[in-house]
Amino acid sequence: MKIVRGLIGAALALGALASAQAATLDVVKERGEVRCGTTTGFAGFSAPDAQGVWRGLDVDLCRAVAAAVFGDASKIKVVPLNSQQRFTALQSGEIDVLTRNTTVTQQRDTALGIIHAGINFYDGQGFLVPKSLGVQKATELSGATICLQTGTSNENTLADWARAHDVTYKPVVMETFDEVVNAFASGRCDVFSTDASGLASIRISKLQNPDDYVVLPEIISKEPLGPFVRQGDDRWLNIVHWSLSAMIAAEEYGITSANVDEQAKSTNPNIQRILGVTPGAGANMGLDEKWAYQIIKQVGNYGESFERNVGMGSPLKIARGLNAQWTQGGLLYALPIR
């Protein structure tokens, strides 16, 4: 009897787990849109354009998930969130996925009921200073006031770095991103410290005279940024993870939004699997076999998204660096779609 009860209990547990795993996809399909948490406005990553349309590297990832699920990249709802709101919004189900320049850390992956679904930008914390400060490197910042946003990993990272390098500083910590930017622009603090990508964005899009400022060369941390989903929902985790991976793989194999239809005729078995010519990958996730085709056709591959949002074709002009393909000396290495 104990064995039977044990088997029944295990079956019920597996049933409950399967139900949890399917929950987000079911909710998204019924609702008809993917709700993505983004920043409140971070040029190059997630910000509204002059027409009020949200664009950026992180928004493209949100659109990619919608393309995979619905075959329509426009079926998204952007939910702007500050640093303090982002995890609660995901935990509570207000959003389906957090696509908001969020660093993957062990604590976030294990203690908050959420988990990362890949890395879409390899970054590191740096320093933005006015040229008038006369500083050439970060170790010359002793005695400076440094602006930071609360609720981010930047506070602890800076404290650890400063202690290790015997640098004293006065932190000026504020709740919202715009408050920190305004404080720095008005001269309330000498330095702005956040992820280097953020500094590039701030310099170009938020400061009146960008040429009066410089990003110091030092990077003091590893900040792998990526999307997060709720734990316990493996089907949804897979969809978000493999949507990003499809964009990275597409660039590796030379599949673009412009040539994807021609590439569908390729005899390369890897390309055939990515584009659904050879079925299986879509069925594995409960999606249409053209899931990746729709991502590439409507959003583009990773390189296309990078270039138009943050790369040399954008105002930010961020070099690929670590975000280049593994074949080009970077860290982007898409797992095989097979």
Side-chain angles (χ1 to χ4, degrees):
M1 182 62 71
K2 288 183 179 179
I3 294 175
V4 172
R5 287 176 178 170
L7 290 173
I8 292 173
L12 290 172
L14 287 172
L17 179 59
S19 177
Q21 290 174 343
T24 304
L25 180 60
D26 290 344
V27 169
V28 167
K29 283 185 173 180
E30 184 176 351
R31 186 198 301 132
E33 65 182 10
V34 180
R35 292 181 180 172
C36 301
T38 69
T39 67
T40 53
F42 187 5
F45 289 83
S46 51
D49 64 14
Q51 289 72 44
V53 178
W54 282 79
R55 302 194 185 279
L57 192 75
D58 289 335
V59 177
D60 276 356
L61 180 54
C62 176
R63 295 174 62 232
V65 174
V69 173
F70 296 109
D72 186 345
S74 70
K75 291 189 174 182
I76 66 169
K77 179 179 180 181
V78 170
V79 182
L81 301 165
N82 64 33
S83 297
Q84 294 74 42
Q85 297 167 329
R86 54 183 167 172
F87 298 130
T88 301
L90 181 58
Q91 293 160 344
S92 67
E94 179 185 350
I95 58 174
D96 306 308
V97 56
L98 182 64
T99 51
R100 186 200 180 284
N101 67 315
T102 298
T103 302
V104 177
T105 68
Q106 191 269 353
Q107 189 261 352
R108 289 173 177 174
D109 241 11
T110 60
L112 301 181
I114 62 176
I115 191 165
H116 82 283
I119 307 298
N120 72 329
F121 195 89
Y122 290 93
D123 210 347
Q125 187 171 340
F127 303 92
L128 178 67
V129 300
K131 291 179 180 178
S132 60
L133 196 63
V135 172
Q136 302 298 317
K137 54 185 179 179
T139 50
E140 297 173 357
L141 292 175
S142 207
T145 55
I146 302 181
C147 276
L148 300 151
Q149 185 179 5
T150 190
T152 69
S153 58
N154 300 139
E155 291 181 80
N156 290 335
T157 297
L158 178 59
D160 290 345
W161 174 85
R163 188 162 48 249
H165 291 81
D166 196 26
V167 172
T168 59
Y169 68 96
K170 180 181 178 181
V172 178
V173 182
M174 298 181 181
E175 184 172 332
T176 71
F177 179 74
D178 286 340
E179 284 178 330
V180 184
V181 172
N182 291 336
F184 176 67
S186 67
R188 183 174 171 184
C189 47
D190 305 310
V191 186
F192 194 133
S193 184
T194 188
D195 299 343
S197 60
L199 299 178
S201 176
I202 292 161
R203 178 178 171 272
I204 291 297
S205 66
K206 299 287 187 179
L207 299 177
Q208 189 171 3
N209 298 303
D211 290 340
D212 292 344
Y213 300 85
V214 63
V215 178
L216 297 180
E218 291 92 343
I219 297 296
I220 66 171
S221 70
K222 293 185 291 185
E223 304 293 338
L225 310 179
F228 280 79
V229 297
R230 287 179 290 279
Q231 286 193 9
D233 194 340
D234 289 352
R235 175 182 282 186
W236 188 244
L237 170 65
N238 284 335
I239 289 171
V240 176
H241 170 83
W242 287 103
S243 293
L244 170 59
S245 196
M247 295 179 71
I248 297 171
E251 182 186 17
E252 179 179 348
Y253 287 104
I255 313 169
T256 69
S257 57
N259 71 16
V260 64
D261 289 308
E262 186 63 28
Q263 288 279 26
K265 304 171 187 175
S266 171
T267 58
N268 184 320
N270 293 302
I271 294 176
Q272 290 180 335
R273 284 190 289 265
I274 293 170
L275 298 183
V277 177
T278 300
N284 291 341
M285 298 186 293
L287 301 178
D288 186 272
E289 294 295 350
K290 295 293 185 181
W291 65 280
Y293 167 89
Q294 297 293 355
I295 292 173
I296 301 160
K297 182 73 172 180
Q298 299 181 47
V299 184
N301 67 34
Y302 179 87
E304 291 179 276
S305 178
F306 188 100
E307 180 66 13
R308 67 172 171 259
N309 290 306
V310 301
M312 293 304 172
S314 77
L316 272 63
K317 299 192 182 306
I318 297 175
R320 286 295 291 266
L322 295 178
N323 295 291
Q325 290 280 337
W326 66 284
T327 53
Q328 302 296 319
L331 297 179
L332 290 192
Y333 186 103
L335 301 180
I337 297 178
R338 64 170 186 256

